[in-house]
Amino acid sequence: MKPAAWPRGGARATRLLHLDPDAPPGWSFGSLRIGDLRALLREGDLLVVNDAATMPASLRGVTAAGLPVEVRLIGGGGGGGGHGEDEGEGCWRAALFGAGDWRQRTEERPPPPALRTGDVLRFDVAGASGGAGRTGSPGSRGRPLRAAIASVDARSARLVSLCFEARGAALWRALYHAGRPVQYAHTAGELALWQVQTAYAARPWAVEAPSAGLALSWELLLDLRRRGIAIARVTHAAGLSSTGDGELDARLPLAESYEVPEDTVRAVESTRRRGGRVVAVGTTAVRALEGDASSHGGRLVAGAGTTELRLGPAVRRRVVDGILTGVHDPGTSHFALLECFAPRALLLEAHAFAEEQGYLGHEFGDAILILSEQRRARSAA
Amino acid sequence: MDIQGRGVLITGASRGLGAALARVLARQGARLALVARGEKALDEVAGAIRAAGGEAHAIAADVGAKDEVYPIAGAAAALVGDVEVVVHNASDLGPVPLALLADTECEELERVLAVNVVGPFRLTKALAGPMLLRQRGLVVHVSSDAATSAYPRWGPYGASKAALDQLARVWAAELEGTGVRFFGVDPGEMDTAMHAAAMPDADRSTLARPEEVAGKLAQMIGDDAIPNGARLEAAAWGTRR
């Protein structure tokens, strides 16, 4: 699939492929626009978004020996919820990259310098932004941001935990000055932080944009609400989608933190009672909802947690009926994930159709809605 | 609205009305994200609030800079969680001594508009989204009587505040019924550094203390009965009730 290389402008409305896994053969999909969600969703349905803001998770630094290293934060930070084993406040899991930047394909990047527990990395706060617009910004500018390696993963030397020296407001200010959005070689230029935020981004928990939501405007969301479609939120610490290291990539996604608010549990329950459908916006919203339910015996329970749930054909969904997501290529982990919503053969057919229709892939690309027209494909009991 | 435990972001919080409001809301148990350009003064305000047992985080940033908006919103949300109240209090007066419009450089007007109008717009855009999702939130715009009266030499400031008032009214109209509310406040003439810069010869005994106005502003923030889109005058607040 041809990737979308840049955020969509107003001129190019997101295309939407509706895939109905329960439709009779030949009636499974239709090509629409994102605004047609107004017709595809019904009164009583519930849309659940991931409200995590995208943090500037790519940091360029040097080792004590002066070797260049790029750190891409994966999750942690002590921002909320139960994080990974050894992450506390100011500490993150991170993937390390050697010289170069996002312009090179991750798998072609040179490996990072070998680091050991206790090694210190220094990040240039003043020079990292590259934008002339930040020269006038006060606070933390000029002060180096430093982090120490807290542990190195036993299986992959480029997966580490690291702890920044700074804490609280000083740390967040420095991170926002030193960091840039994580991006990949298919993008056409350096992305600004605002280009990777959804219209409802709140706490900066995601290290890559929860991109299915990038296509949603408030015009559309408020209109859906007026039509009786409820909108609820989870916060899910979306991690990296690729590290360039095959062995490490096979372990992705790592355990990720999430939070399900009380309001969302109530919204799901009331949707169930009314026979409505629960539609997750993006794979990360699915992971939060199904991950939470799977760790509570199938019931959605409000609160924060960490999930290692890997979605795929074998996973039985407990909460989510449908998904709005990007168009993913077969062979990617995202594609495999969709197999818990529709059979592989149908997904492949839909993918071929989208490709033929000129749909665009990746985070700024077009969308697919996998949702059964039937009242509920599965019994609520 | 009971402010206890709620995330509140105040711009221009290093001095004057912003700092006074921060102290009042901290006493009421708000979790504060304080924004101002002056890092040292801001750190002192936040430090004093923490020393008194409150919660305040100092986010040194320029609300007039485009690149700073998501960093402010992101840091605030990371530090206090859901930001439920935003007070756009930061203002740029323009160059002092105040000048006639005919003597005002275009760039000076642009800077005033960037801080007083475009900055609040961008920050609201970043923070109102999650409020709309939660169906709850309040955005307060601090205005001025210079928005409605044509005071000579207050051209850039007055024009910016008039634009800010209108922006607030349109936000309110567009988001009516969503649970996200807007109101504007004319705080009146206060004994602040900004007032001294604008009118160095003023009789300070005639000016309101920022603490007094901050107390009223805190009451307004707690008052859910204020109509969406209203523009209030601090001077009339006590007498009206």
Side-chain angles (χ1 to χ4, degrees):
Chain A
M1 176 115 357
K2 191 169 180 279
W6 201 243
R8 65 182 61 81
R12 201 187 74 78
T14 304
R15 303 174 74 181
L16 176 67
L17 183 72
H18 176 214
L19 174 57
D20 183 343
D22 298 312
W27 295 87
S28 299
F29 37 84
S31 183
L32 304 156
R33 297 277 165 178
I34 193 75
D36 294 317
L37 281 175
R38 291 175 177 90
L40 293 168
L41 301 176
R42 306 191 278 258
E43 189 175 348
D45 285 346
L46 171 69
L47 210 51
V48 184
V49 301
N50 176 6
D51 75 354
T54 311
M55 61 177 295
S58 162
L59 300 152
R60 304 186 59 79
V62 289
T63 65
L67 299 169
V69 62
E70 181 190 347
V71 166
R72 293 187 182 180
L73 304 178
I74 296 179
H83 288 276
E85 322 76 66
D86 48 359
E87 284 87 39
E89 201 210 333
C91 302
W92 269 267
R93 250 187 186 188
L96 305 176
F97 296 79
D101 63 17
W102 59 268
R103 290 173 183 84
Q104 287 154 278
R105 291 160 55 84
T106 43
E107 51 273 35
E108 289 163 10
R109 291 277 294 273
L115 293 174
R116 285 180 306 184
T117 301
D119 284 354
V120 173
L121 300 176
R122 200 163 53 83
F123 305 96
D124 189 0
V125 173
S129 74
R134 292 209 198 169
T135 50
S137 55
S140 72
R141 179 163 35 106
R143 275 173 232 160
L145 174 64
R146 291 168 15 131
I149 304 294
S151 66
V152 179
D153 184 75
R155 284 187 283 162
S156 173
R158 60 197 298 167
L159 178 62
V160 300
S161 288
L162 53 79
C163 294
F164 291 96
E165 279 179 2
R167 289 288 186 278
L171 172 59
W172 282 99
R173 289 298 298 152
L175 280 177
Y176 274 102
H177 277 267
R180 299 188 21 75
V182 168
Q183 64 182 107
Y184 294 94
H186 66 268
T187 49
E190 219 158 72
L191 291 167
L193 195 58
W194 64 79
Q195 291 175 307
V196 290
Q197 305 300 336
T198 60
Y200 40 75
R203 289 172 293 181
W205 281 22
V207 303
E208 285 184 17
S211 55
L214 292 176
L216 301 176
S217 66
W218 275 111
E219 175 92 55
L220 175 57
L221 291 169
L222 292 174
D223 206 18
L224 292 176
R225 241 184 212 158
R226 276 190 291 271
R227 288 160 188 259
I229 295 140
I231 298 165
R233 60 175 177 141
V234 292
T235 308
H236 186 86
L240 292 180
S241 52
S242 171
T243 67
D245 174 335
E247 204 180 315
L248 182 51
D249 281 358
R251 290 165 62 189
L252 300 178
L254 302 173
E256 290 168 344
S257 304
Y258 68 86
E259 197 174 294
V260 179
E262 201 73 64
D263 287 353
T264 301
V265 174
R266 275 196 293 271
V268 167
E269 284 167 356
S270 111
T271 301
R272 283 272 174 279
R273 275 196 303 276
R274 293 186 296 175
R277 301 167 297 179
V278 176
V279 180
V281 176
T283 54
T284 60
V286 178
R287 204 174 190 219
L289 292 168
E290 297 295 340
D292 180 86
S294 79
S295 49
H296 296 100
R299 248 187 78 238
L300 191 66
V301 173
T306 307
T307 180
E308 300 194 34
L309 181 71
R310 297 174 74 90
L311 297 154
V315 172
R316 187 177 147 232
R317 287 176 280 114
R318 322 282 192 137
V319 181
V320 182
D321 298 299
I323 182 172
L324 176 72
T325 182
V327 191
H328 305 291
D329 283 323
T332 63
S333 60
H334 278 82
F335 188 89
L337 189 157
L338 298 184
E339 290 181 52
C340 72
F341 291 93
R344 182 170 173 80
L346 192 57
L347 290 169
L348 287 170
E349 215 183 310
H351 182 268
F353 175 80
E355 186 138 46
E356 179 199 294
Q357 296 282 311
Y359 274 58
L360 300 178
H362 286 292
E363 71 271 41
F364 303 122
D366 293 305
I368 181 167
L369 174 73
I370 308 178
L371 180 63
S372 175
E373 270 299 311
Q374 292 173 18
R375 201 168 144 272
R376 275 177 63 81
R378 298 173 295 110
S379 154
Chain B
M1 179 198 296
D2 180 6
I3 208 72
Q4 166 76 38
R6 297 194 190 269
V8 179
L9 184 144
I10 305 172
T11 68
S14 62
R15 57 185 204 179
L17 179 61
L21 180 64
R23 288 189 284 268
V24 175
L25 295 181
R27 281 197 293 275
Q28 296 177 3
R31 308 181 63 193
L32 298 170
L34 305 180
V35 182
R37 272 183 305 164
E39 188 174 15
K40 191 167 169 289
L42 187 66
D43 280 343
E44 281 168 19
V45 172
I49 287 171
R50 285 195 298 268
E55 178 173 349
H57 306 275
I59 303 173
D62 179 356
V63 295
K66 185 176 182 179
D67 280 340
E68 292 286 299
V69 174
Y70 280 96
I72 292 170
L79 293 161
V80 306
D82 294 338
V83 176
E84 301 198 54
V85 179
V86 181
V87 183
H88 293 298
N89 168 73
S91 284
D92 193 322
L93 193 56
V96 286
L98 296 176
L100 298 177
L101 279 174
D103 294 326
T104 298
E105 300 292 343
C106 303
E107 292 77 9
E108 292 166 355
L109 174 65
E110 283 173 5
R111 169 68 191 162
V112 171
L113 293 176
V115 175
N116 299 5
V117 183
V118 185
F121 164 70
R122 289 196 191 107
L123 202 49
T124 301
K125 199 161 133 40
L127 292 166
M131 289 180 180
L132 284 167
L133 207 50
R134 299 189 296 264
Q135 299 181 268
R136 190 174 61 226
L138 174 65
V139 180
V140 178
H141 293 86
V142 176
S143 185
S144 162
D145 64 337
T148 51
S149 299
Y151 299 127
R153 298 172 197 275
W154 288 77
Y157 187 81
S160 74
K161 290 299 187 183
L164 186 68
D165 281 354
Q166 183 66 352
L167 207 55
R169 276 195 289 267
V170 178
W171 272 119
E174 289 183 349
L175 301 184
E176 179 70 45
T178 60
V180 182
R181 295 162 54 236
F182 294 78
F183 69 78
V185 186
D186 170 5
E189 287 193 82
M190 291 175 292
D191 187 9
T192 61
M194 180 185 273
H195 195 277
M199 307 177 77
D201 303 328
D203 176 1
R204 291 178 56 193
S205 69
T206 66
L207 303 175
R209 285 168 44 247
E211 289 73 18
E212 191 184 313
V213 178
K216 292 179 178 181
L217 194 43
Q219 284 176 14
M220 293 173 190
I221 290 169
D223 188 343
D224 295 335
I226 292 174
N228 185 28
R231 186 181 186 279
L232 309 167
E233 290 181 13
W237 178 255
T239 56
R240 200 193 63 173
R241 297 172 74 78

